[in-house]
Amino acid sequence: MRFLTTFHLWPFLDTVVSYLVAFVLGTLIGAERQYRQRTAGLRTNALVALGSSAFVDLGQRLGGDVESIRIIAYVVSGIGFLGAGVIMKEGMNVRGLNTAATLWCSAAVGAIAGSDMIAEAVLLTGFVILANTMLRPLVDAINRIPLEGRNVEATYTVTISTDAAEAGPMGDLLAEHLEAAQLPVAELDVINRGEDRVEIVAKLVSTNIAVSELDALTDHLAKVHGITHATWQARTHD
């Protein structure tokens, strides 16, 4: 029976400690994600940490430190596929990046625990939890800073609403005003909004524009040319 020849008590106890630490630390990270109802919650982070620990510990038991390093490289690349599964694109918005990054960190915690560096695994877990909790108020504070009066690195669009029959002339009018304001148009789209209404969306080339310029332009289009709906939007670069 091969088990009798491969089983050694002290290495086995070492593996138990690695698995237990990875499981507990992964659970702590996942608990915060579960509390916030994220896609990858308590069980997922615990299993990611435990699995990473198991692979690294196995490589170390069979081939020593050199083989465990090879396994760690595979864990780092392999966890990317799992992280990609929680990232969702909704229109221009991308959700799940923070959850994917947390899974990546859980894998790192497990790999460190599997390498028998328990203190380092605990330290990393503390930093991950701090990043997901203590930094949240800072993010909220930054997001509340008004953009008015400042130049923002972003992709800008100017949108007007008009009758479908006037789409051509109004599109030319919008492009002319943007060119006159030295805001060259990169792309001009017409979106149908019913049988007789369309939206003309001009995407601008510039990525650093004063807010006051766009406000003045949309006000002019509304007051002088009678366009009932003229707005602009900026999507910041992440």
Side-chain angles (χ1 to χ4, degrees), residues 24-57:
V24 171
L25 298 181
T27 299
L28 290 176
I29 294 173
E32 184 274 335
R33 297 283 84 193
Q34 190 72 43
Y35 175 74
R36 301 189 186 281
Q37 298 294 304
R38 296 300 186 252
T39 307
L42 190 149
R43 290 183 298 171
T44 303
N45 281 277
L47 288 172
V48 166
L50 183 60
S52 299
S53 175
F55 282 121
V56 173
D57 181 77

Side-chain angles (χ1 to χ4, degrees), residues 160-225:
I160 62 173
S161 179
T162 185
D163 293 334
E166 297 293 323
M170 285 299 179
D172 293 339
L173 177 69
L174 177 59
E176 289 173 8
H177 277 73
L178 290 170
E179 293 288 346
Q182 297 183 343
L183 301 173
V185 178
E187 191 176 320
L188 195 67
D189 293 327
V190 178
I191 303 172
N192 291 320
R193 297 298 185 192
E195 294 183 359
D196 58 350
R197 300 295 293 178
V198 295
E199 280 187 354
I200 303 172
V201 182
K203 182 178 178 181
L204 307 184
V205 173
S206 302
T207 58
N208 197 9
I209 302 173
V211 170
S212 57
E213 292 184 44
L214 294 171
D215 285 338
L217 176 66
T218 52
D219 287 345
H220 174 80
L221 291 172
K223 292 177 181 178
V224 177
H225 298 283

Side-chain angles (χ1 to χ4, degrees), residues 59-82:
Q60 194 171 53
R61 289 278 298 273
L62 296 178
D65 291 339
V66 174
E67 191 62 30
S68 69
I69 293 173
R70 193 193 310 273
I71 296 296
I72 290 171
Y74 288 128
V75 169
V76 171
S77 59
I79 199 65
F81 292 97
L82 187 60

